[in-house]
Amino acid sequence: MSRDREILLGKDYTKREIPDVTSYEQLDPQIVQGIIKCVHASGMRTSDQDVLDHINGDIVIVYQDVKTQDVIAFSSTSFISPNEHLKTDDISDEVGCYLVGATIAREWQGNSLYTRMNESRIGFGLERGLNLVFTQTQNRRVMHGIESVLKTNVEKGLIAGYQMAEPILRLGHYGRMLTEEMPLRFDGLDYGKGDCYMLLFNLQR
């Protein structure tokens, strides 16, 4: 079992930060089943096995309903370079804060959980002195969510500024559209084929 810490955020839910997760088998089986249920309840089109394959990262965050202990949100974050992640040498060797994935059960969407998760995850990178934040997505809301947190960090004086690089097109990366409903679209993606963009944000200190 990974060592983790649980933080009471309010009367409605708690946040659990679990470090150094290399496999879902390290976690409490009840948490694992809760993550699977949460992902399916979020509007994602995915299999149980695909969910299990994505329960890993340098830090996994799990939010739970205080009353029911149901998992209501989940995210994973890794500290890795884009080149190492993609097994390539043509993007960047700089180690960054890779926002691997995040999902929120539909009934909990709109409760600022996504913003809270991004604040925590980007904060992990800042604490480690990393100056790159990156992710892969089909959804413009993901881009807007990251930018919103970075703008707040500028206002707070945590960073001097940031610049988003030109999005990198990843043809057919997912093999399908990831969500049941069309997300806020990017131009230039073939959603039926599973295209996505890699987004890189360079931070200025």
Side-chain angles (χ1 to χ4, degrees):
M1 178 74 68
S2 295
R3 296 181 60 191
D4 61 74
R5 62 187 184 123
E6 187 172 42
I7 305 165
L8 183 65
L9 293 178
K11 64 180 180 180
D12 295 325
Y13 51 83
T14 58
K15 178 177 75 170
R16 178 168 291 168
E17 298 176 357
I18 311 170
D20 305 320
V21 178
T22 58
S23 168
Y24 70 89
E25 295 176 336
Q26 293 173 243
L27 306 187
D28 184 320
Q30 186 174 353
I31 294 291
V32 173
Q33 290 304 310
I35 291 172
I36 292 173
K37 182 179 177 181
C38 173
V39 171
H40 290 314
S42 71
M44 297 288 289
R45 298 167 57 209
T46 189
S47 67
D48 289 1
Q49 187 58 53
D50 194 41
V51 176
L52 293 174
D53 290 343
H54 285 82
I55 301 178
N56 59 74
D58 289 303
I59 302 180
V60 166
I61 300 178
V62 176
Y63 289 85
Q64 291 176 272
D65 185 309
V66 169
K67 294 180 180 178
T68 66
Q69 291 302 297
D70 289 342
V71 175
I72 60 173
F74 155 78
S75 72
S76 58
T77 305
S78 293
F79 309 118
I80 191 172
S81 74
N83 281 350
E84 185 178 358
H85 170 64
L86 294 178
K87 307 292 192 292
T88 186
D89 59 4
D90 58 359
I91 300 177
S92 174
D93 286 321
E94 181 178 358
V95 174
C97 181
Y98 176 36
L99 309 182
V100 183
T103 190
I104 301 170
R106 199 186 300 271
E107 63 269 27
W108 284 85
Q109 293 175 10
N111 282 276
S112 300
L113 277 174
Y114 185 62
T115 299
R116 285 181 179 269
M117 279 197 288
N118 277 342
E119 288 171 346
S120 293
R121 300 161 84 199
I122 291 171
F124 297 148
L126 294 178
E127 290 169 0
R128 288 162 175 76
L130 303 180
N131 295 316
L132 174 66
V133 174
F134 68 104
T135 194
Q136 296 186 115
T137 185
Q138 296 178 327
N139 191 341
R140 286 183 68 89
R141 285 194 175 89
V142 171
M143 180 182 71
H144 296 328
I146 295 170
E147 287 193 299
S148 176
V149 171
L150 292 178
K151 288 175 182 176
T152 298
N153 284 345
V154 171
E155 293 168 0
K156 291 180 177 178
L158 298 177
I159 56 175
Y162 73 92
Q163 183 172 17
M164 191 178 97
E166 186 70 23
I168 298 170
L169 177 61
R170 303 277 292 145
L171 293 171
H173 178 71
Y174 292 122
R176 66 189 188 284
M177 187 173 77
L178 292 180
T179 51
E180 295 170 357
E181 300 177 359
M182 179 62 69
L184 188 61
R185 294 179 63 102
F186 282 105
D187 293 334
L189 295 187
D190 186 328
Y191 282 83
K193 292 182 179 179
D195 294 357
C196 72
Y197 280 124
M198 173 173 274
L199 308 177
L200 298 96
F201 301 84
N202 296 293
L203 312 186
Q204 294 135 21
R205 299 283 188 153

